[in-house]
């Protein structure tokens, strides 16, 4: 997928999490989580700019999702000292979930394409692909973005 497709997939996967967070009374946290997920949605494609790293290699794995989740979780843990009303465990857990979800949404979107992904690398080189649509399909990328935006709109309406 391309940027718009990845942004849409991230919004689509985050919408239920955002809704649950809002319903639990944590509107600001839901907004921050959404910003994290959207800002990291295309991070796995940093491999285009990394020498000696093949595209859809290590950055397109569950291990990378865990690594990014751990990094965002650590940032949440540090933020607990300056954000009133939240303890370190809650913010680090939420941060981990948001960071990992951003990468997972990317993996799911790329798994729709014929190129697929190897999500369990380095433990397994097994390749996964639904082979539904090419990554460069403009219509599907826009459709994913539209579905993600619609999901966020539904969350806003339903959470009122």
């Amino acid at each position: 997928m391309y940027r718009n497709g990845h942004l849409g997939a991230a919004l689509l996967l985050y919408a239920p999490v955002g809704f649950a967070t809002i319903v639990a009374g944590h509107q600001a946290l839901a907004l921050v989580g959404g910003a994290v997920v959207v800002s990291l949605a295309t991070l796995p494609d940093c491999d285009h700019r990394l020498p000696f790293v093949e595209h859809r290699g290590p950055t397109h794995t569950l291990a990378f999702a865990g690594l990014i989740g751990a990094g965002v979780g650590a940032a949440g843990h540090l933020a607990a000292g300056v954000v009133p009303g939240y303890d370190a465990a809650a913010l680090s857990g939420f941060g981990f979930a948001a960071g990992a979800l951003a990468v997972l949404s990317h993996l799911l979107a790329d798994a729709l394409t014929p190129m697929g992904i190897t999500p369990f690398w380095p433990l397994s080189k097994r390749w996964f692909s639904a082979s539904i649509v090419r990554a460069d399909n403009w219509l599907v990328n826009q459709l994913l973005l539209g579905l993600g935006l619609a999901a966020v709109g539904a969350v806003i309406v339903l959470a009122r």
Side-chain angles (χ1 to χ4, degrees):
M1 288 297 133
Y2 283 11
R3 181 173 177 77
N4 282 352
H6 286 303
L7 293 175
L11 290 170
L12 197 55
L13 261 61
Y14 182 72
V17 175
F19 179 75
T21 306
I22 291 169
V23 168
H26 305 289
Q27 293 82 357
L29 188 59
L31 186 61
V32 169
V36 166
V37 169
V38 167
S39 68
L40 297 177
T42 60
L43 181 62
D45 284 338
C46 71
D47 59 7
H48 285 292
R49 296 174 297 284
L50 297 174
F52 311 111
V53 177
E54 95 179 81
H55 181 50
R56 295 197 185 180
T59 62
H60 286 69
T61 64
L62 296 176
F64 189 70
L67 179 67
I68 298 306
V72 177
H77 183 81
L78 294 173
V82 294
V83 178
Y86 294 99
D87 66 8
L91 285 183
S92 62
F94 189 79
F96 179 87
L101 185 66
V103 175
L104 291 174
S105 71
H106 189 103
L107 300 183
L108 288 172
D110 279 353
L112 296 174
T113 70
M115 187 175 177
I117 58 170
T118 54
F120 302 109
W121 179 93
L123 301 175
S124 170
K125 291 184 180 182
R126 185 163 182 215
W127 170 76
F128 291 86
S129 170
S131 200
I132 295 172
V133 64
R134 289 176 40 104
D136 63 355
N137 185 310
W138 180 86
L139 183 60
V140 171
N141 278 280
Q142 298 310 105
L143 181 62
L144 270 174
L145 179 60
L147 287 171
L149 291 170
V152 169
V155 165
I156 292 167
V157 168
L158 292 172
R160 288 183 156 197

